[in-house]
Each structure stands twice: as C-alpha cells, then as structure tokens.
Amino acid sequence: MSSHEIPEADELPEKRESAEGAVQVSEDPFADPGMPPHEHRKQDIDERAAQRSERTVALLFTSSMVATIAFIAAYVAIPVDKYIYVFPIGHISALNFALGLTLGVALFGIGAGAVHWARTLMSDVEIADERHPIEASPEVKAKVMEDFRAGAAESGFGRRKLARNTLFGALALVPLSGLVLLRDLGPMPGTKLRHTKWAKGKLLMNQNTMQPLRPEDIIVGSLTPALPEGLEEDQHDFQTEIAKAALMLVRLQPENIKDKRELEWSHDGIVAFSKICTHVGCPINLYEQQTHHVLCPCHQSTFDLSDGGRVIFGPAGHALPQLRITVNDEGYLEAMGDFSEPVGPAFWERG
Amino acid sequence: MSTARDNDAQRRGKAPAGERVADWADSRLGIYSLAKANMRKIFPDHWSFMLGEVALYSFIIIILTGVYLTLFFHPSMSEVVYHGPYEPMQGVRMSEAFASTLDISFEVRGGLLIRQIHHWAALIFLAAMFVHMMRVFFTGAFRKPREINWLFGFLLFFLGMLTGFTGYSLPDDLLSGTGLRFIEGVFLSVPVIGTYITMFVYGGEFPGTDLIARLYPVHVLLLPGIMLGLLVAHLILVFYHKHTQYPGAGKTNKNVVGMPLLPVYMAKAGGFFFLVFAVIAVLSAIATINPIWTIGPYRPDQVSTGAQPDWYMGFAEGLVRVMPGWEINIWGHTLVLGVFIPIVLFPVVLLAMGVYPFIESWITGDKREHHILDRPRNAPTRTAFGVAWLTAYFVMLVGGGNDLWATHFHLSINSITWFVRIGFFLGPVLAFIATRRICLGLQRRDRDKVLHGRETGIIKRLPHGEFVEVHEPLSQEQLHTLTQHEQPKPYEVGPEVDENGVARKIKGSQKLRAKLSKSYYGEQAQIPKPTREEYQEITSGHGHH
Amino acid sequence: MKKLSARRRHPLAALVVLLFALAVTGGLYAAFSPSEAKADDSSAQSLAIEEGKKLYAVGCASCHGTGGQGSSDGPSLVGVGSAAVDFQVGTGRMPAQQPGAQMPKKKKVYTDAEIEQLSAYIASLGAGPSTPTKSQYDIEGADVAKGGELFRTNCAQCHNFAGKGGALTNGKYAPALDDVSPKHLYEAMQTGPQNMPSFPDTTLPEKNKQDIIAYLDTVNSDKSKTPGGLELGGLGPVSEGLFAWVFGMGALIVLTIWVAARTAKAKKS
C-alpha cells in the first residue's frame, strides 16, 4: 500500500489469522496486520474470578441500596437548620452534607457496579462493523431528481408566476404581525436616560442614616453614599431611580482640585459624583483617598475625582458626571439641579 | 405478509409477555427495524470518546434538578421583606426571586443540595462540552461527513452559555444583578437602536420590574427546548455516522471496531451516567456554589469587588475588561466602541472555531469521508491553529479574572491588563509557531521510531569498545499505526497559461487557497513519512545499531 | 524504641526533626522573651507622651519627620489621632519595612503599652479620632442584617461581599478582613488608613459601625456558617470555575479512563 493512496482502498479487516498477517509482513512492512486475536480475561477462563467479580458488582449495588435508605433516613432525621463542623470544610449544613454524600454513594454504587459488570463479565470481544458511504447511489439520486421535477411541474410553481409571487409576498408580510406585537414590551426611550431624581434644592441624604448632610459632617478623606431627598427604599420605583441617582460624596482639599469646573461645582472641597460607572453602569466607589482615584470593580475603569472625574484607565469612554452642590440657608447640602449630562453608560442618542 | 401475520397469531398464545409487548409496539412503531440497525451498534473504546457523554449526562442532571427548582422558585421582582431563618438577611428588602432562592437554600429540605447540583452541573456541562469540542477538533473528527454535527455541537455550546447566563441571573442577587446591569450597558452600546432594545428588554428603565419574569421562560423553556432538539439531532447523527476511531491494527476507514451497544455500552454508558451524577452530587455536598446569602440581594447602588460571571463567560468578560475606552461623538450621536467592539468580537472569535471545518475542507480540497482520526501531530497546521485559539481564549480568561490574579499573585491590575492586551495578539502567534514546530518534531520522532525502532534505554558495549543504545524494532501493528496517515500534496492553481499560451484567469480566491494549502501541506508543514523502500533498506542491512 | 530507630532513616525523618526543633525554639523564645510591661494606670498622661516621643524618635521620625510633620517618605501625623496609630502599629503595618504600593499587615513590633505611649504622643500633636473604648466596638445587641446592608453599601465594593478583599489600582489592594479584631475594624472605619477612605461618626455613626462589625463576625470569622460546604475562598465565580475544572472535570476524566480502559488480560503461559 503506497503512502499516497487513500486508505479506503485498503484490504479487508477480517484477516484475523496471524498466518495471513505474516505473509503480509514480507510484502509490506507497514500493512495493516488486522485485528489482533482476542485475549481472554481472567474472568473468561476462571469461573472463580468471575464469581469474585460478580460479588463485587453485587456489593456495589447493595451499597447503593444502603445509601438510598441512609438518604431517606437523613432527610427525615436531620433538621434543616442543623450545622456541624467537618474538619477541612467548616461549619456546614448537616443535612446538605448527609444528603449529598448518601446520594453520591447511591449513584456511584449503581454506576460503578454496572461498569464493573461490563468490564469484567460481559464479552469483551471486539467486533468490526462495516461502514457504508452516506451518499445515495446514482440510481437513487436520479429517481429523486425525477420525482422532484415531476412534482414541481405538477404544482405549476414555475409557470404560475402570479400565484407564486403573491405567495412570497404574503409569507414575507405575515411575520410582521408578530413583530408589531412586541411593541408593548417596553416604553419608548424618550429622554428617560437623561433625567434623574436630582433637582434644584433637593437635599443630599446620607444613605447610612437617611439624614440630610451638612458640610461639616464630611471630612477630608471620607467617603459618603448619598441619595436625593424623598427617595425611599419602600417606593415602588426605588430600584430604577437609585440606578441613576446614586451619588458619592468625597471631600478634597480645595487646592488639590485640578479641574476648574469641578472646583466651581463643589462646596468647600466637597464634590458629588455619580456612583454609576460610565462604562456599563456598575456602582463605582472603590475610592482611594490618597490618590483620589475611584476604580470600578467590574471592568477596572479608573476615574480621577480630583480632575473632573476624568478616565485615567480602563474601558470607560467618558468622565464621571458631577452633581453641582451648594449649602442652603439651614446649612444643609443641596443639589443645584439635575446632572448636566446623562449618568451611566453611553448610548447612541447621548451625543 | 399474510403468512407472517398467521405465524404471529399462532404464537401469540405462548410468547412471553415481554415479546408480546414488543410485538405490539413494533406493529405500531416499527421498533424491530430500528433495533436491528442499532441494538448491536459498535462503539469504539477510548476515554476521550466519553467526554461528550459527560456533557450529555450533566445536561440531563441539569434538567432533572431544574424541574425540581421550578417547584419552589418565584420568578418575580416584587419586593418583599425577609423574615426567614437566615439571620443576616432578616428585615432586608429583596425581590421575591431572591427570597425564594433563600427559602430553597434554608427551608426546603435538600433544596440547597439540588440548587448546588444544578449549578455545579452547569459549570461541568460547559466544561465538558468545551473539552469534548477540543477533542473533536484536534483529532479532525469534524471532517466530512460530520461537519453539520460539529455545527450542532458548536450551537449547543453557545446556547449553553446563554442558558447558563440567564440561570445565573435568576436569583436576583448582587452578583448576577451586576451582570444584568452590564448587559444593559451592552444593549445601550448598540448603534441606533440600543436604547430601544434596552427599554423593550427590561420593560422600561433598568432594572424595572419585569426582567426576572421574562428571563425565566427563556431559561427554563425556550433555550433548553432548542438545546434538547439540537442534542437529539446531535445524537442521531452520531448513531447514523457511526463513531470515529483512532488508527490501529484492523481499523480502517470502512469499518468501526469496538463493542456492541447491547450489552457492553448499554452498561458502560448507562453506568457512566450514574458516575457523573455521583461526582456532581459529592461536589455539591462538600463545596458551596453561588452563596447568594452572603452575596446579598441586588441593589443598583451596591456592588462587590470580584464581580465576575461564571467561567464560561470569562472570555467575554476578559474582552470587555481589557478593551480601551473608545467612544466617538459625531453629529450628536455616540458610538460606544469600548463596549460594542468586544461584544461583537466575542461571538466572532468563537465562530472562528465554529466554521473551521468548512474552511479546512475548502483549503485542502478534501471531499472524502474520514472515519479514522488524525493524530494531532500529523495535522500540524490545524493543531497549531487550535492551540493558538486556545491561547487567545485562556489569555482572555486571565483578563476576565485580572483582579483576582492581582490580589493572589501580588501584581498590579494595570500591568495584568496590559499583559492581556498584548498577549491576546502576541500569544496566539507564538503558540502557533511553537506548536507547529513541536508537531514536526514529533513527526520526526515517529519517523525515527519506524526506521530505527524504539529506544530501549539498554546500553550495549560493542567488541571494539563503542557504546550503543539497543533499538528494538516495532511490531507490525505499531509500524502500521505510525505510517497509516496520508500526506496530501498542496493544492495548486495550475500553470499560469493554458495550452495555447494564453494567460489563464486565476481567481484571487484560488490563489489564496493555494497559498493556504501550501501552508497546510507544503514541505515546511510535514516531515515525509518513511517509505517501504527506506524501511527495507535499513532493516535488510541488520547489524546496524 | 526499635520502631523509632527503624524509622530514623525515613525520608521524612529530617523534616520531622526540623519541625520539632523549630517548635521548641519558638516555645522557648515565647516563654523567656520579655513580658509586656504593664502601664501603670495611675501614671500621668504626660509621662506616656514623653515615653511615646522617645519611641517615635527612634522608630518613626525618619519617615514622618521629627515632629510628625511628615516628609517625602511618609505623611504628616498631625491630627491623625490615637486611633490611627493604634491601628497602623497594632496591625504591624507600621513601622514600614520597605516602600511599596501599600504597607501590608504583619506581626506587630511594639508591645501594647508602647503602642499606647506612641498613640498618646501622636494625639498630643493635634486633635483626631481617639482609640475606641471597648464599649464602642462591642457588638452585643447589634443589628446583623442592618450591618450587612451597610457593609454592601460602604465596604463590599473594595473588600468583597464576604470581606475577602480585592484589588485596587496599580498593585494596591483592599485586604481581607478575616482575622481583623473588632477594635481594628472600628479604627479602620474611623481613620481610613492608607488609601482607604474614612467613615467618621458624622456619616457612619457608632451604632452603624457596630452593626458592620457584627455582620463581619457572622459571615467572616472562623465560626461563620457555610451551609453549602467549602467556601472556596468566598471569591465568587472564578474560584468556583477553577474548582469545577480541577476537581469536577478531573474526577470525571479519571472515571472516563477507568470506564474505557481495557480490562486486564489473563497472563499467558
């Protein structure tokens, strides 16, 4: 057999006889010697070994039965809130541990028993099965083509062009009904993404205490999460509103603020930035008080809060929006309006 | 037919019950013809052929446990205040979805186990599909006639990722909610229609109150339904094509050597299902997965560091993390390339694997059926491409976990990000070159082994004092295995002028094909395997070595 | 005895001897090392400041300046308060061993009494948060669930949902909170060590700090419950994925090899 020939042109595999194989060797050292003769396992020739295997299989199946009974017993006996200490694992639920292990053993017993049975007691004689090409024979193909032509001609699909083309038109249009039905999945975007709950005169509420914040509460180096006044946890749209309105307050030494507008929009070194990352919207308050950087834990965009929230690393495309704040007559911090640009991730209409 | 029916009627009285049931079924379903073709179907034995079974069985386990979980899970974003047994959550406001997941974990007996089995099985399912796909790739099992089945498998992998992601999102915990927020950013980044997609998917602004209820049927019905269909088709084709086999004595392209479905594979494959289930059950008994009770319910203003998706989305996560923040503003519109490019790149990189069989068959021009597997070294270019692809994939997995690499290896997150940015382009190239060289080296070793025999490690001293290592000649079986592969010639476009001396029109695609074909089969890409003549020349000399 | 002599030449014998020797040395050192000098309760504050000043001059002044005014190597300590000193020195972060992105936690160098003296000295340089008293960080009666919410709002972004720590920029990191004492947790929140922002009582009142400490005590201590089994570091999906690949796929591949392997043949002859 030359090396460039297709292996399909090979000789039959049934040459099991070693004598025949030997003849081959002298002709072609690389020829397929055919399947090696079957060798017996111990279990094939020694009935005692076979019986040992059977007992092992039976033992595995029995252990499965025992484990299933143990599973049920554990389910009934162990309270759901019982904890135990298991050395390397920790303080774990006794029920979860017991059920998992017994189920594991019950399943393993069946699986290992079946496999051991197959490996040691069922025949391990290898059999060669022939393959047949998948392609149809030319006769079959000719018959199919002929049938198809006949069918196509009888339908008049090629000749009745008007009927055919209107059918195509109808089929193309009908899915539109389905598409139209999707309209009420949600509202039109409108300007929703441009507005938040912040507005002129809204007090900055400390999210930890839900009390309005005074400038003297916030010291240099601290980080404070804040909400707009009037946004409460139990309101039905709380999640949607906090997703845009979340704010973080930090205080810098005014001389450390590099950006002119940031300084203007701050109050006495207190700056209020949106907590929503401009990349894809993760809350971003991994604030480093010495470098004034905030880092996003999702994709590591890094913003400089001393420089107008500018992006200094990572995949975010624009600076973190700042909220303009001041102090009202009673000495509380308040917003001077909504954010001047949309908070959170960029979108096509953002501009 | 009538006589057959008569015989049938005569026998009816005394045939055993099982046979009577089978007869009944056969006369309505034709099961005997089906069984004739399949009952003694031959399957070859090799551990790597069972990786697909791991995937199949974990899928079944996921469905079984998933059905159980639906009995207790409430796919609702209505807010409730928790008053259950888990103390650190008492009085905390959360969605019903999250609360019911806590109930499954702390109040339903065995609920936690089933939840953990479901999630561990999902991770194993994707991992097994991945490994299975790589086995098929590196052995060339995707070649004709199995290209369509490769596509089915690829689709299963892709849909498996989507199903996994939707399931990961359902408990509405802080980690998965952060993932859904990321998806919102992805939708928003789509040019022109991004905001509309977002509003329609979330039923308004993020997070809204509809999403979990919408994801639920997608996760439990739509995607698994499609996957089940694909899976059945995948298995039918495996039966129809008959399994591939590794080269060896008695194994040809026209046969399949192994053991019959009944009884050996019935027992082995059936038993293996229980083994896979057992491993996952034990895993779920000893290791926590997705402890939503410490992660906490989702709040758009809260986050935890180490915010990552499950491993199979790590590749996408990596792409998004290392992408530079490109954003273009023109004519009042914004192109959010920093998000959009990686999200497009993600399926494209995967698809490079998906369409590979068609590209290879176009390059090689090979239209024959292949049932004997390639040894990866004998297809150096394909193997090198596969390793290059894997390199890109794993570099991005590192990128997806850059924060954890940073803390656990005391590195800077910024350096890791830069390493990944460069490594994504450079790594695959280096891997390609190195792999191809290794493959050629292995081919040379095979050639030496065939011609000079196996190195035994026994040193012999010859009468004149020279030391030589004794080489043991290979058996004919081994000789056959090492030399049975083909070494095709590269495709050529043919002469540039036809017989009349007129310049032939050669299409650019043909030139490209010839070039690629040369890189597959050219002299630099394969070591000529030993010929019979070479072998006989050396062995007839004897005494040598 | 015979058994022992037989095992003397075991490959691991040297290791066992070495471990034993190390344990004995450590034990002896612990037994004989100078015990902590107990500060006299009645001693005057000024005496402590005086002692602290001496310690400062030897151990701290080279970086923080002779009067705590700071230098290019270390920040000013005027107004950081005694709580900051108690945290930095009490967790071994100070004195620093070598410059780096961040000073790691290590074994503390000074005794508790010395730390008190240092704190007193630094506190005398300018007003700042003072070392909390036991009642301030006592978690008796604290609201664990509220602590969890506060933790997720204020802390989890850097320290991870279970306080396992996380990465910051350029090699900095938020450390794991596994074995940090309640006092040090309190001090860290109050003073904001290194790059951590502070959470003063004006924005995060004492009660809230206690809630947070109580929450950490529930979910991140050696008596924390992990109902599902191994915590896998509490790091989320990355360690879970790694575990699924290594142990799940590992075990399954071993099983595939067993299922597909040929059964041993009977020996011929």
Side-chain angles (χ1 to χ4, degrees):
Chain A
M1 174 192 159
S2 142
S3 55
H4 291 294
E5 262 180 32
I6 318 160
E8 275 176 36
D10 219 335
E11 50 278 289
L12 287 170
E14 277 85 41
K15 294 193 192 93
R16 295 260 194 87
E17 293 301 310
S18 53
E20 243 180 298
V23 176
Q24 287 279 325
V25 173
S26 60
E27 287 171 0
D28 180 355
F30 301 158
D32 182 359
M35 273 160 60
H38 176 248
E39 280 181 64
H40 288 298
R41 294 165 300 192
K42 206 161 183 207
Q43 288 86 348
D44 296 331
I45 47 178
D46 180 359
E47 179 56 24
R48 289 224 320 263
Q51 278 171 356
R52 266 203 305 279
S53 288
E54 188 185 354
R55 280 197 297 275
T56 311
V57 171
L59 184 72
L60 284 163
F61 288 151
T62 314
S63 66
S64 167
M65 287 190 261
V66 172
T68 300
I69 292 164
F71 180 94
I72 296 167
Y75 185 90
V76 175
I78 303 177
V80 69
D81 54 358
K82 165 115 179 115
Y83 283 81
I84 49 165
Y85 181 73
V86 178
F87 160 56
I89 305 179
H91 298 275
I92 56 173
S93 155
L95 187 62
N96 186 64
F97 191 59
L99 292 183
L101 285 190
T102 49
L103 181 64
V105 173
L107 295 164
F108 189 85
I110 298 177
V115 171
H116 193 64
W117 185 347
R119 278 167 46 83
T120 57
L121 295 171
M122 293 181 188
S123 161
D124 76 334
V125 179
E126 283 199 308
I127 303 170
D129 208 357
E130 271 180 61
R131 292 181 194 275
H132 307 285
I134 290 164
E135 273 173 8
S137 64
E139 298 81 52
V140 171
K141 184 185 167 186
K143 172 83 173 83
V144 169
M145 297 311 272
E146 191 188 318
D147 286 357
F148 178 77
R149 271 191 287 272
E154 284 164 23
S155 73
F157 204 72
R159 205 154 51 88
R160 306 271 175 209
K161 288 208 170 60
L162 183 62
R164 186 189 65 188
N165 294 347
T166 46
L167 172 65
F168 283 158
L171 286 177
L173 280 183
V174 82
L176 287 179
S177 318
L179 208 61
V180 168
L181 283 173
L182 294 179
R183 166 62 191 90
D184 278 349
L185 274 177
M188 284 297 167
T191 57
K192 290 187 183 68
L193 295 169
R194 296 185 175 273
H195 304 300
T196 73
K197 261 274 196 296
W198 290 105
K200 188 167 167 49
K202 288 241 177 183
L203 294 179
L204 274 61
M205 308 292 279
N206 179 354
Q207 212 177 318
N208 298 328
T209 58
M210 291 311 276
Q211 298 297 318
L213 283 158
R214 292 169 176 276
E216 57 270 28
D217 294 342
I218 298 164
I219 61 167
V220 173
S222 69
L223 170 70
T224 312
L227 289 180
E229 167 195 11
L231 183 58
E232 307 274 343
E233 230 193 1
D234 49 6
Q235 287 161 354
H236 76 282
D237 60 349
F238 174 77
Q239 294 276 72
T240 305
E241 289 304 334
I242 189 87
K244 292 185 296 184
L247 198 70
M248 58 181 160
L249 290 169
V250 301
R251 187 170 201 157
L252 313 172
Q253 302 290 3
E255 65 268 23
N256 284 343
I257 298 178
K258 295 174 213 151
D259 184 77
K260 222 178 118 211
R261 195 185 75 167
E262 181 182 348
L263 188 62
E264 221 168 88
W265 286 16
S266 69
H267 172 79
D268 205 13
I270 299 174
V271 289
F273 277 97
S274 163
K275 203 173 165 183
I276 308 303
C277 183
T278 62
H279 178 224
V280 287
C282 289
I284 169 176
N285 52 343
L286 286 73
Y287 175 58
E288 300 177 357
Q289 60 129 327
Q290 290 173 348
T291 59
H292 314 304
H293 295 165
V294 285
L295 171 75
C296 178
C298 296
H299 307 98
Q300 287 80 43
S301 299
T302 311
F303 302 83
D304 189 348
L305 293 196
S306 64
D307 193 10
R310 188 172 58 92
V311 185
I312 52 172
F313 189 78
H318 59 269
L320 218 49
Q322 188 184 356
L323 188 73
R324 193 172 185 183
I325 54 170
T326 186
V327 170
N328 67 10
D329 302 339
E330 292 158 43
Y332 290 111
L333 287 168
E334 65 171 28
M336 289 181 75
D338 200 353
F339 286 100
S340 64
E341 53 180 324
V343 299
F347 47 92
W348 175 250
E349 297 89 344
R350 188 174 188 277
Chain B
M1 280 315 281
S2 68
T3 51
R5 208 177 299 137
D6 291 345
N7 291 342
D8 208 30
Q10 279 166 15
R11 276 212 329 263
R12 188 154 295 157
K14 43 201 176 231
E19 190 182 324
R20 287 208 305 277
V21 172
D23 284 346
W24 186 90
D26 179 59
S27 51
R28 284 155 187 85
L29 304 169
I31 58 166
Y32 287 156
S33 322
L34 213 62
K36 177 173 171 270
N38 293 311
M39 201 183 254
R40 294 283 276 180
K41 196 105 186 164
I42 298 298
F43 282 91
D45 246 346
H46 194 274
W47 68 269
S48 69
F49 296 163
M50 312 204 70
L51 296 167
E53 274 178 53
V54 176
L56 169 67
Y57 297 148
S58 36
F59 184 72
I60 295 171
I61 295 165
I62 292 170
I63 291 193
L64 290 175
T65 50
V67 169
Y68 182 84
L69 292 175
T70 60
L71 305 177
F72 299 97
F73 178 71
H74 304 293
S76 158
M77 289 172 94
S78 314
E79 301 250 312
V80 291
V81 176
Y82 183 72
H83 294 297
Y86 185 67
E87 196 200 348
M89 281 294 156
Q90 278 163 4
V92 174
R93 191 169 278 279
M94 57 184 65
S95 68
E96 243 184 88
F98 187 84
S100 64
T101 314
L102 282 181
D103 293 347
I104 291 171
S105 308
F106 290 104
E107 287 175 75
V108 177
R109 281 182 285 175
L112 178 60
L113 181 72
I114 300 299
R115 228 196 99 219
Q116 301 208 118
I117 291 180
H118 191 70
H119 204 145
W120 279 123
L123 296 195
I124 301 255
F125 175 48
L126 270 297
M129 279 201 284
F130 190 83
V131 180
H132 172 57
M133 195 164 107
M134 288 302 120
R135 194 283 294 170
V136 169
F137 180 84
F138 285 109
T139 57
F142 54 77
R143 289 173 296 170
K144 188 182 169 186
R146 294 182 179 79
E147 302 99 319
I148 294 174
N149 220 17
W150 166 267
L151 276 187
F152 284 172
F154 177 77
L155 272 175
L156 277 167
F157 180 64
F158 194 75
L159 292 176
M161 286 172 21
L162 296 186
T163 316
F165 187 81
T166 50
Y168 161 91
S169 302
L170 286 180
D172 202 20
D173 57 287
L174 190 52
L175 204 53
S176 70
T178 307
L180 291 174
R181 178 107 216 204
F182 161 68
I183 297 296
E184 186 219 7
V186 167
F187 286 142
L188 285 178
S189 77
V190 176
V192 188
I193 52 169
T195 48
Y196 294 86
I197 301 179
T198 312
M199 293 293 156
F200 287 6
V201 167
Y202 290 84
E205 284 180 88
F206 179 87
T209 50
D210 296 331
L211 189 64
I212 298 293
R214 285 179 181 179
L215 282 180
Y216 187 61
V218 174
H219 175 73
V220 304
L221 186 70
L222 184 64
L223 290 174
I226 300 172
M227 287 179 73
L228 198 62
L230 280 171
L231 187 67
V232 170
H234 196 74
L235 290 176
I236 288 175
L237 280 180
V238 169
F239 267 73
Y240 181 62
H241 289 143
K242 295 182 181 164
H243 209 285
T244 51
Q245 56 191 350
Y246 284 101
K251 294 169 182 175
T252 73
N253 210 25
K254 300 192 93 173
N255 73 4
V256 51
V257 176
M259 289 183 227
L261 181 65
L262 186 79
V264 176
Y265 266 86
M266 220 57 127
K268 278 193 175 180
F272 192 51
F273 166 74
F274 290 95
L275 292 177
V276 173
F277 206 159
V279 166
I280 294 174
V282 170
L283 225 53
S284 310
I286 60 168
T288 313
I289 189 160
N290 199 18
I292 51 129
W293 51 88
T294 41
I295 295 171
Y298 183 60
R299 278 266 305 253
D301 62 327
Q302 295 176 345
V303 75
S304 164
T305 187
Q308 262 109 359
D310 278 344
W311 80 264
Y312 43 85
M313 293 306 249
F315 170 68
E317 177 77 5
L319 284 169
V320 175
R321 284 188 178 201
V322 304
M323 180 73 196
W326 295 344
E327 207 169 283
I328 298 174
N329 279 297
I330 26 163
W331 302 306
H333 289 292
T334 305
L335 260 176
V336 197
L337 298 177
V339 182
F340 195 60
I341 289 180
I343 275 320
V344 170
L345 216 54
F346 162 59
V348 165
V349 173
L350 291 181
L351 211 59
M353 220 0 126
V355 299
Y356 181 83
F358 302 96
I359 295 172
E360 185 183 296
S361 78
W362 174 71
I363 293 171
T364 60
D366 190 348
K367 300 279 180 270
R368 295 161 305 154
E369 286 188 16
H370 290 278
H371 304 291
I372 294 279
L373 295 173
D374 275 332
R375 301 170 75 222
R377 68 188 61 175
N378 288 334
T381 310
R382 177 203 300 147
T383 305
F385 171 81
V387 174
W389 187 87
L390 279 178
T391 307
Y393 190 91
F394 281 104
V395 165
M396 275 306 160
L397 270 189
V398 170
N402 57 3
D403 47 350
L404 291 171
W405 293 105
T407 48
H408 286 76
F409 296 96
H410 303 291
L411 299 166
S412 153
I413 209 166
N414 307 59
S415 325
I416 297 176
T417 304
W418 272 107
F419 168 80
V420 171
R421 281 175 183 172
I422 297 165
F424 182 64
F425 294 99
L426 196 61
V429 175
L430 295 179
F432 186 91
I433 296 167
T435 309
R436 214 153 82 149
R437 290 192 74 104
I438 291 170
C439 285
L440 292 180
L442 289 170
Q443 281 191 20
R444 271 193 205 97
R445 203 177 73 166
D446 281 354
R447 185 187 152 86
D448 283 352
K449 247 162 106 176
V450 167
L451 292 178
H452 304 296
R454 186 178 70 85
E455 293 175 359
T456 56
I458 300 168
I459 305 292
K460 196 163 84 176
R461 192 177 175 191
L462 298 181
H464 56 274
E466 186 193 348
F467 288 96
V468 293
E469 186 179 5
V470 177
H471 285 233
E472 185 190 355
L474 300 185
S475 69
Q476 195 185 356
E477 192 178 330
Q478 288 166 312
L479 287 176
H480 171 71
T481 308
L482 294 181
T483 55
Q484 50 74 41
H485 60 284
E486 315 165 41
Q487 294 198 311
K489 292 258 179 291
Y491 164 84
E492 275 165 27
V493 283
E496 282 180 24
V497 290
D498 62 15
E499 60 269 27
N500 301 327
V502 183
R504 278 195 326 133
K505 238 177 116 181
I506 301 170
K507 278 192 274 180
S509 65
Q510 279 176 305
K511 283 186 192 157
L512 177 69
R513 183 178 151 191
K515 225 173 154 183
L516 288 169
S517 186
K518 205 169 160 213
S519 84
Y520 262 76
Y521 296 137
E523 279 168 20
Q524 84 297 340
Q526 44 192 359
I527 305 298
K529 65 180 183 181
T531 60
R532 206 187 330 173
E533 291 72 28
E534 281 175 309
Y535 180 79
Q536 273 156 352
E537 197 184 337
I538 285 176
T539 45
S540 62
H542 277 307
H544 207 66
H545 296 312
Chain C
M1 221 49 225
K2 202 176 171 197
K3 245 184 197 167
L4 186 68
S5 69
R7 286 184 186 164
R8 218 172 29 168
R9 290 178 192 282
H10 192 271
L12 290 178
L15 188 68
V16 171
V17 170
L18 186 66
L19 285 175
F20 180 72
L22 281 172
V24 168
T25 325
L28 285 176
Y29 174 77
F32 291 104
S33 65
S35 54
E36 293 165 12
K38 187 116 175 77
D40 189 358
D41 285 327
S42 64
S43 70
Q45 184 74 1
S46 57
L47 188 67
I49 294 174
E50 209 47 46
E51 286 299 316
K53 192 171 182 183
K54 284 184 209 156
L55 288 168
Y56 179 86
V58 175
C60 321
S62 59
C63 296
H64 292 289
T66 46
Q69 76 277 21
S71 77
S72 57
D73 293 330
S76 159
L77 300 182
V78 177
V80 299
S82 61
V85 181
D86 191 64
F87 177 84
Q88 298 282 4
V89 184
T91 59
R93 286 180 167 81
M94 287 292 147
Q97 235 156 24
Q98 57 186 26
Q102 176 168 337
M103 299 310 152
K105 180 181 172 167
K106 51 186 187 289
K107 202 174 150 23
K108 64 179 180 185
V109 176
Y110 294 98
T111 64
D112 287 351
E114 288 168 331
I115 294 170
E116 253 174 62
Q117 290 162 351
L118 269 174
S119 306
Y121 169 64
I122 298 297
S124 73
L125 297 177
S130 53
T131 315
T133 60
K134 195 148 175 39
S135 67
Q136 282 178 286
Y137 53 83
D138 185 18
I139 58 173
E140 187 68 35
D143 184 345
V144 174
K146 173 75 180 162
E149 282 194 273
L150 289 166
F151 188 82
R152 287 188 289 278
T153 306
N154 293 288
C155 322
Q157 76 269 25
C158 299
H159 290 285
N160 146 311
F161 53 80
K164 301 296 177 188
L168 295 172
T169 64
N170 292 313
K172 294 187 282 293
Y173 58 90
L177 306 177
D178 290 12
D179 42 7
V180 185
S181 70
K183 184 182 172 199
H184 289 148
L185 288 172
Y186 193 96
E187 286 167 349
M189 286 187 266
Q190 205 172 29
T191 63
Q194 302 192 27
N195 259 307
M196 174 172 163
S198 62
F199 298 88
D201 288 348
T202 46
T203 55
L204 190 73
E206 194 175 296
K207 172 81 181 69
N208 286 351
K209 291 196 177 79
Q210 290 165 358
D211 293 342
I212 290 175
I213 295 169
Y215 177 72
L216 278 172
D217 185 60
T218 311
V219 302
N220 189 11
S221 68
D222 45 8
K223 60 178 201 295
S224 299
K225 292 167 180 171
T226 55
L230 287 169
E231 204 184 12
L232 304 179
L235 300 169
V238 174
S239 55
E240 289 163 2
L242 217 54
F243 190 81
W245 270 93
V246 174
F247 293 97
M249 284 310 285
L252 288 168
I253 286 176
V254 168
L255 285 173
T256 61
I257 292 170
W258 175 60
V259 172
R262 291 181 174 246
T263 317
K265 300 292 181 187
K267 292 251 163 60
K268 280 186 181 166
S269 78

